[in-house]
Amino acid sequence: MSPAPSRAPPPPRGARPVLHVAAPAPAAPDGDGTTSYMIICSAFLPIYRRLGMNPLVLAAIATMALGCISGTTPWGGAATRGISVLHLDAGEYFVHMIGPMALTSLAIVAVSYWLDLRERAKLDPEKLQAYQLEVASGEAIPKGEVTWRIWANAALTLALMVLLILEVADFVVLFMVAFVIALLLNIRTIEEQQELIKRQAANAVPVMMLVLAAGIFTGIMTDAGMIKAMANAGVHADEIARAGAIGQILHSVGPASAPLWVLLGRVKADLGDFQKTAPRWGIPASFACIAFALLTGAITVT
């Protein structure tokens, strides 16, 4: 029998407890905002709730980090669209954005650390000390039971990835078939399956509205001649793509960002409360990114 885990000694009386939890690192190296938000929330949200911290701080930091990294890398969604539409060389575009991206990431980390200090000042020291003891003893980590469903879900995920890589069928068909199988494996009653579909459908409706609104807005710009005027401005195409990528920080905190609705659902907050918190940090981060891009020559002012 293994010995019982020893508890960490309590901090000296009057000492300030130390726990840094407010700043997730910049995420989304593959440009997938929804996946990044789910991973960040799964890791940090239980800690925020256990300590009574404001989850909107987590949401604000996550959106800024996503906008900086996903909006800048050539495999991210925004940059990929700019490179393909403007027929650019991905290397030439990205080399000049490495400096602004790194400096902006450091600025976001600095903001995250400041928000961490501000949130720690609001915590109850006794609650924080109790949670530190739970972490040290292992009680804070739930002991999950390994069942046949875990192995079945792992096999289903692996099979889906293999079929996607081999392009056996259209990805929509593969995902729909895998979704049906996952429902049958994990939720056996029809009533519970319907409840799950209804609950997830609420996240899909805003995304569909955003897609339709984007199509309408693009049509207006095209018919009004704005797209052609921007194409004939004389500004170098590489700088247009870089400038568009810089704007992704503010885009990620705006209602037009589809993954944001998933994030708001995870932290159980509405858009109005989020907009009162995130832009006050997202706007300075955007200005900092513009300044770094001008300083490094990624974009120029003519």
Side-chain angles (χ1 to χ4, degrees):
M1 180 179 297
S2 59
S6 59
R7 290 183 175 270
R13 183 177 299 274
R16 187 182 184 88
V18 177
L19 183 64
H20 296 276
V21 297
D30 62 347
D32 189 351
T34 301
T35 303
S36 298
Y37 289 156
M38 293 178 66
I39 294 173
I40 290 173
C41 289
S42 298
F44 287 92
L45 196 55
I47 302 176
Y48 273 66
R49 289 174 175 167
R50 174 66 174 81
L51 298 177
M53 299 175 65
N54 186 4
L56 290 176
V57 174
L58 174 65
I61 297 172
T63 50
M64 287 191 297
L66 180 79
C68 174
I69 302 300
S70 176
T72 303
T73 52
W75 50 84
T80 300
R81 289 189 292 270
I83 292 171
S84 61
V85 170
L86 297 174
H87 306 289
L88 304 177
D89 178 77
E92 179 64 22
Y93 156 83
F94 184 58
V95 167
H96 296 278
M97 289 297 290
I98 294 177
M101 181 181 68
L103 294 173
T104 306
S105 298
L106 291 177
I108 293 175
V109 171
V111 171
S112 303
Y113 182 73
W114 185 84
L115 291 174
D116 173 48
L117 295 178
R118 194 181 70 166
E119 286 296 308
R120 279 200 300 157
K122 303 176 183 178
L123 297 181
D124 182 3
E126 294 183 359
K127 181 184 294 187
L128 180 58
Q129 179 179 337
Y131 185 66
Q132 288 178 318
L133 292 176
E134 290 180 15
V135 173
S137 63
E139 298 176 0
I141 304 176
K143 301 297 188 296
E145 182 181 357
V146 179
T147 63
W148 66 270
R149 282 192 175 90
I150 294 180
W151 296 108
N153 283 296
L156 176 62
T157 303
L158 180 61
L160 177 61
M161 296 301 297
V162 172
L163 294 176
L164 286 171
I165 295 173
L166 296 178
E167 298 182 351
V168 174
D170 188 79
F171 76 96
V172 175
V173 176
L174 293 176
F175 273 108
M176 288 299 296
V177 173
F179 174 72
V180 172
I181 297 175
L183 275 181
L184 296 175
L185 284 175
N186 298 280
I187 305 176
R188 304 305 297 270
T189 65
I190 297 179
E191 291 77 12
E192 291 178 340
Q193 293 175 0
Q194 291 177 340
E195 178 61 28
L196 175 65
I197 294 174
K198 290 179 181 178
R199 188 168 64 249
Q200 299 302 324
N203 295 325
V205 172
V207 177
M208 294 298 298
M209 296 299 294
L210 290 175
V211 173
L212 293 175
I216 295 172
F217 183 68
T218 302
I220 293 173
M221 293 184 66
T222 302
D223 293 340
M226 289 185 283
I227 298 293
K228 185 177 180 180
M230 288 189 292
N232 296 328
V235 180
H236 197 278
D238 281 321
E239 296 193 18
I240 293 177
R242 293 169 192 153
I246 291 173
Q248 291 299 303
I249 296 179
L250 273 185
H251 169 72
S252 64
V253 303
S257 175
L260 176 63
W261 297 96
V262 176
L263 177 63
L264 294 179
R266 298 284 294 178
V267 300
K268 292 181 171 54
D270 57 37
L271 181 62
D273 292 335
F274 176 77
Q275 289 295 325
K276 295 176 183 177
T277 302
R280 77 174 67 170
W281 315 116
I283 292 175
S286 295
F287 278 117
C289 188
I290 294 173
F292 294 144
L294 290 172
L295 183 64
T296 58
I299 59 175
T300 58
V301 178
T302 56

